[in-house]
Amino acid sequence: MADLSSPDYQLEATLSLENIKQFKALFDETRMQIVDLLLERAATVSELAATLSRPKGTVGHHVGVLEEAGLIQIVRTKKVRAIEAKYYGRTARTFLLTSKLDTDLEISPDYFLTSAAAEFSKASVGYEFDHGSPMMSTLRYARIPEDRAAEWVMRVSELTQEFASEQRDGEVTYGLLVAFYPTDRPHLPTEGKGA
């Protein structure tokens, strides 16, 4: 298993999002980028703004929304020329959506899929398979019993956690998209169990 000690501050493993304030705070593109960056290490508003190429005031607003929702917090401070720099970190490694969350927000069920598809498409343009960064996609189907499906969900979940826990290094940020879902695809009957 990968090193779970990064980032450079303590945080809970999971936080269940149970109120609309947290949900609204998280589901904004800039705020999602901020919480993702904070998995690398704690950062100041200035560092986040420079990384995102956004105005410091705009990023400061988003940081405030995330902090008020309990998704990030000040994890340390440091004196820098008579000014106290605040370093922010996530409150949890993973934010879980729960069935307790009742929201009228119109977030598409395929939000992550469409976001990842757009990123994948952009990365694919001009991609050189022999010389580019590692990249792949695949789609497979298997007709399996429900108990095996539950095992696969657990295994895939563990794999995504391992990926998200990798030591942050290198020059490229990679995406990993995983979906496991039932389909209405036809299948042949099991031999001896049908016409």
Side-chain angles (χ1 to χ4, degrees):
M1 188 73 164
D3 176 24
L4 295 175
S5 63
S6 78
D8 61 347
Y9 58 89
Q10 295 295 315
L11 71 165
E12 296 294 322
T14 60
L15 173 68
S16 295
L17 304 185
E18 296 181 351
N19 66 62
I20 191 68
K21 185 180 197 177
Q22 291 174 319
F23 191 82
K24 283 182 177 179
L26 186 59
F27 279 90
D28 170 90
E29 186 61 33
T30 300
R31 293 192 285 267
M32 288 184 102
Q33 289 177 336
I34 290 169
V35 296
D36 186 54
L37 287 170
L38 295 177
L39 272 178
E40 294 183 19
R41 66 172 177 82
T44 65
V45 169
S46 295
E47 290 174 319
L48 292 167
T51 300
L52 295 172
S53 300
R54 303 286 305 267
K56 186 177 171 183
T58 300
V59 172
H61 164 75
H62 288 297
V63 164
V65 170
L66 290 165
E67 184 178 23
E68 189 166 315
L71 302 176
I72 68 171
Q73 62 189 348
I74 297 169
V75 295
R76 67 177 168 268
T77 59
K78 181 179 174 183
K79 273 283 206 221
V80 180
R81 289 187 230 113
I83 296 175
E84 190 170 63
K86 297 175 184 175
Y87 286 79
Y88 292 89
R90 292 168 64 124
T91 54
R93 185 175 301 283
T94 303
F95 300 124
L96 301 173
L97 300 179
T98 66
S99 58
K100 295 179 188 177
L101 190 60
D102 183 24
T103 177
D104 60 351
L105 284 179
E106 294 189 23
I107 300 295
S108 170
D110 64 352
Y111 174 83
F112 295 111
L113 293 173
T114 55
S115 296
E119 286 180 340
F120 187 83
S121 178
K122 183 178 176 184
S124 298
V125 174
Y127 179 76
E128 296 179 32
F129 287 91
D130 293 336
H131 300 65
S133 295
M135 183 173 164
M136 62 93 49
S137 69
T138 188
L139 177 61
R140 300 283 191 254
Y141 297 97
R143 183 168 55 101
I144 57 177
E146 198 166 308
D147 61 329
R148 288 292 294 150
E151 289 176 27
W152 273 101
V153 166
M154 193 62 126
R155 288 176 62 190
V156 167
S157 178
E158 290 170 357
L159 182 64
T160 59
Q161 288 296 324
E162 180 180 348
F163 177 77
S165 300
E166 283 288 327
Q167 185 67 37
R168 303 296 170 121
D169 199 5
E171 298 301 317
V172 177
T173 300
Y174 290 91
L176 173 67
L177 172 67
V178 176
F180 189 92
Y181 54 96
T183 73
D184 59 0
R185 293 175 68 86
H187 59 268
L188 294 170
T190 303
E191 281 191 79
K193 286 192 173 183

